[in-house]
Amino acid sequence: MIKFLQFSAIALSVVLMAGCGMGRDSQGDVIGAEDRPEFNPQEIPYGMVACPGGTFHMGQTDQDIAASMSNMNKQVTIGGFYMDETEITNNEYRQFVDAIRQDSLDILGEEFVMTQLYPDTTVWVKDFTYHMGDPLMEYYYSHPAFDDYPVVGVDWFAAKYFNSWRTKHKNNYNVESGMAPMPSFRLPSEAEWEYGARGGRDLATYPWGGPYLRNAKGCMLANFKPGRGDYYSDGFTYTAPVGQYYPNDFGLYDMSGNVAEWCEDAYSEATVPLVWDLNPTYYNDNEPRKIVRGGSWKDIAHFLETGVRNFEYQDSARSYIGFRSAMIYIGRSSDLDYAQ
């Protein structure tokens, strides 16, 4: 014990001596470590919009006709966060794939990159029987005509890998520029997604607020399946370029329709009573079903509702599922600091 105390005293004296005469004079006070990177305020990431924190009623906004009771109302609070204003496009995802093939192919291997990360273009043929999907299989991801269309054929794991790469890509630049690193890009939680989709309108059936699918001029407000055998009345037969319809009050586009979107959460029929009422998220690595929200170009209007839940298996890629990224806001709880 005596030897330990002697060692501690010697170590402390070395630390104190090392700090003498360096930097500003603390005069014996605790003034904080020096040479910290500047981080005030947190920058709004490119292509993202601010979603100020708040409280809302999460869950169904219309009658539960099927009596599923899978998304009963629950009042929850969400902290401020950022979310991509549109779904990730083919060309944005191509930047990721090209970077991986250039920098990490020797480590990951050609087979992993092409089978796990590269979009599965065959989904246009496999998802629908007796359907002429061959042109889309050939051109949808590869041709520049579709650069601004949402990427599809990407499973939950690939979407998460994209966000991991996006975080490193951004923070490598920040570090080289002497700036503090940004928080991680990630998939939005189910609660964040629903809160963002409502755009500040509590209990809104659709992101635009009202219960109707057309505006006053009779124009469709989203890309979906308006009627039996009718995919075109909204203006697009399949997916649409991102941002073709009006954004909601947060400035988010295509939160209903176009492509459904992966969320971070695992799926459970009992999620509502399981999760907390502050920034709820349901993690379960043993559950292969992951939350998918928003409905798509091939779905009827029911799936476009902000309170309707759905799922897909984490290793399944579909022609109607894409994703967008989110990022937590680091700082005070007030929404006045970052919605600039």
Side-chain angles (χ1 to χ4, degrees):
M1 183 65 181
I2 295 176
K3 290 183 177 180
F4 173 77
L5 293 174
Q6 290 175 339
F7 174 78
S8 300
I10 293 172
L12 180 59
S13 66
V14 171
V15 171
L16 292 174
M17 291 174 63
C20 293
M22 297 179 62
R24 54 189 175 177
D25 184 7
S26 68
Q27 298 181 349
D29 296 318
V30 176
I31 61 174
E34 300 182 50
D35 300 325
R36 297 289 292 160
E38 185 176 349
F39 194 68
N40 183 33
Q42 180 178 341
E43 65 174 293
I44 299 179
Y46 178 80
M48 286 188 160
V49 298
C51 299
T55 299
F56 79 113
H57 289 84
M58 183 176 179
Q60 63 195 44
T61 58
D62 206 344
Q63 181 181 359
D64 187 11
I65 298 176
S68 64
M69 301 181 68
S70 64
N71 201 20
M72 301 176 67
N73 290 115
K74 179 177 182 178
Q75 183 167 274
V76 301
T77 296
I78 303 296
F81 63 99
Y82 300 109
M83 182 179 282
D84 282 332
E85 62 180 350
T86 70
E87 296 136 342
I88 296 298
T89 65
N90 281 322
N91 209 30
E92 289 170 333
Y93 196 84
R94 184 176 296 106
Q95 180 184 357
F96 155 66
V97 172
D98 289 349
I100 292 295
R101 297 189 68 175
Q102 180 178 349
D103 302 331
S104 305
L105 196 62
D106 293 340
I107 300 173
L108 298 176
E110 179 80 18
E111 182 178 358
F112 176 83
V113 172
M114 297 306 295
T115 60
Q116 303 298 319
L117 303 181
Y118 195 88
D120 181 3
T121 58
T122 65
V123 293
W124 293 105
V125 175
K126 296 187 298 186
D127 283 348
F128 313 104
T129 57
Y130 302 104
H131 161 256
M132 193 179 67
D134 297 68
L136 289 169
M137 179 178 66
E138 182 176 357
Y139 298 117
Y140 184 80
Y141 179 70
S142 63
H143 200 281
F146 292 100
D147 276 358
D148 293 330
Y149 284 66
V151 68
V152 298
V154 174
D155 67 19
W156 185 77
F157 292 112
K160 288 176 69 67
Y161 206 106
F162 170 90
N163 282 316
S164 177
W165 168 84
R166 187 178 181 182
T167 301
K168 294 177 181 177
H169 182 67
K170 176 60 177 175
N171 283 335
N172 284 343
Y173 172 81
N174 278 20
V175 171
E176 291 174 359
S177 303
M179 297 184 292
M182 296 285 286
S184 297
F185 293 96
R186 55 179 173 78
L187 292 175
S189 69
E190 180 181 17
E192 285 176 332
W193 191 97
E194 184 172 327
Y195 178 75
R198 295 180 189 271
R201 297 173 180 258
D202 198 20
L203 295 175
T205 304
Y206 298 107
W208 47 88
Y212 305 110
L213 295 162
R214 297 177 184 266
N215 62 16
K217 295 182 178 180
C219 301
M220 290 290 184
L221 295 170
N223 180 16
F224 67 111
K225 183 180 180 181
R228 181 173 296 180
D230 178 9
Y231 297 86
Y232 190 71
S233 291
D234 51 48
F236 299 92
T237 308
Y238 294 95
T239 57
V242 297
Q244 294 297 299
Y245 300 88
Y246 293 112
N248 69 3
D249 289 351
F250 282 167
L252 298 169
Y253 294 85
D254 300 320
M255 294 300 284
S256 283
N258 212 11
V259 294
E261 300 172 14
W262 289 112
C263 292
E264 186 75 24
D265 303 48
Y267 177 81
S268 171
E269 293 81 355
T271 296
V272 174
L274 280 176
V275 298
W276 202 28
D277 54 5
L278 174 59
N279 289 324
T281 308
Y282 180 62
Y283 296 108
N284 186 349
D285 292 338
N286 296 320
E287 173 55 72
R289 297 175 298 174
K290 304 303 181 185
I291 292 291
V292 171
R293 284 299 204 110
S296 74
W297 60 268
K298 62 89 180 173
D299 290 317
I300 60 174
H302 169 73
F303 294 101
L304 272 62
E305 295 182 14
T306 56
V308 172
R309 309 177 73 221
N310 210 338
F311 70 86
E312 184 54 86
Y313 287 89
Q314 59 193 8
D315 58 354
S316 296
R318 299 294 185 186
S319 61
Y320 44 85
I321 298 179
F323 70 98
R324 72 179 76 207
S325 302
M327 175 189 287
I328 193 172
Y329 168 68
I330 295 179
R332 290 164 49 191
S333 297
S334 170
D335 61 356
L336 301 177
D337 296 332
Y338 71 108
Q340 302 293 330

